[in-house]
Amino acid sequence: MSKFKKKKGGELPAISTASLPDIVFMLLFFFMVVTVLRDNNLLVKNELPKADQVEKLKKDRAVYIYAGKPSSRYQEVFGTEGRIQIGDKYTSIENIGLALEEARRKLLPELQDKVYVALKVDKETNSGLVSDIKQVLRERNLLKIIYITTPGNDLGN
């Protein structure tokens, strides 16, 4: 007689689901941390011009001004004339200074004095609108201006 007997069934044991909630919550936490939410709801058409010499910009020091015609879903309400957007709302030339101060206050305190103004201007926008924006920026002594473009060459075929 032998002391040890072999199992004759050969069935696999049931899978333990005790650690399943831990794995689910770990995945949930991972996706919550790495997901980037959109900052602004774009109200203007923003087809950027192309440039062949482009540098990467640190987003923590910039205040963005969007300029262009209202996008197609907003043209019934706001028309087809060029508009200025700062944050999530349209602004006029007279209110750019106030809107920029509000956007600048949202930056980190140590970066508020070193702010860049980033212009994201649609390639079909009237240059008079851009000149008006630049004039207001000069009056507010915001002289560090960056034009945002997409990489490429518009002159090529």
Side-chain angles (χ1 to χ4, degrees):
M1 270 224 186
S2 71
K3 259 185 170 177
F4 302 106
K5 292 184 179 180
K6 281 189 173 180
K7 284 187 180 179
K8 297 202 178 200
E11 296 176 8
L12 292 175
I15 297 174
S16 173
T17 59
S19 63
L20 190 60
D22 293 335
I23 294 170
V24 169
F25 283 116
M26 187 173 54
L27 285 172
L28 178 67
F29 183 72
F30 171 76
F31 286 115
M32 285 173 49
V33 168
V34 299
T35 300
V36 176
L37 299 176
R38 184 180 296 190
D39 288 338
N40 295 326
N41 184 17
L42 205 55
L43 304 173
V44 296
K45 182 180 167 191
N46 200 354
E47 191 175 325
L48 298 174
K50 295 183 180 184
D52 57 355
Q53 296 179 359
V54 180
E55 290 183 30
K56 190 83 171 158
L57 171 68
K58 290 185 180 181
K59 293 185 177 186
D60 60 348
R61 297 175 55 171
V63 175
Y64 290 89
I65 297 177
Y66 301 93
K69 295 179 182 177
S71 58
S72 58
R73 62 181 170 177
Y74 297 109
Q75 282 184 355
E76 291 179 9
V77 178
F78 297 107
T80 58
E81 199 66 31
R83 303 288 299 228
I84 302 167
Q85 177 186 349
I86 299 177
D88 277 341
K89 52 190 169 193
Y90 287 128
T91 186
S92 64
I93 293 290
E94 297 83 25
N95 295 331
I96 287 178
L98 298 173
L100 283 174
E101 288 300 321
E102 181 181 325
R104 187 154 91 170
R105 275 188 247 123
K106 292 179 184 177
L107 295 176
L108 296 173
E110 59 269 9
L111 297 176
Q112 288 180 0
D113 296 334
K114 303 171 186 169
V115 69
Y116 289 101
V117 177
L119 293 176
K120 282 188 141 183
V121 181
D122 184 51
K123 66 181 181 180
E124 296 177 4
T125 301
N126 187 353
S127 63
L129 182 63
V130 177
S131 298
D132 292 343
I133 293 170
K134 287 172 50 178
Q135 185 63 37
V136 171
L137 294 175
R138 274 188 220 113
E139 291 169 3
R140 288 281 183 170
N141 201 23
L142 294 169
L143 304 176
K144 297 178 183 176
I145 300 174
I146 299 171
Y147 293 96
I148 307 292
T149 63
T150 55
N153 189 355
D154 235 358
L155 300 176
N157 293 344

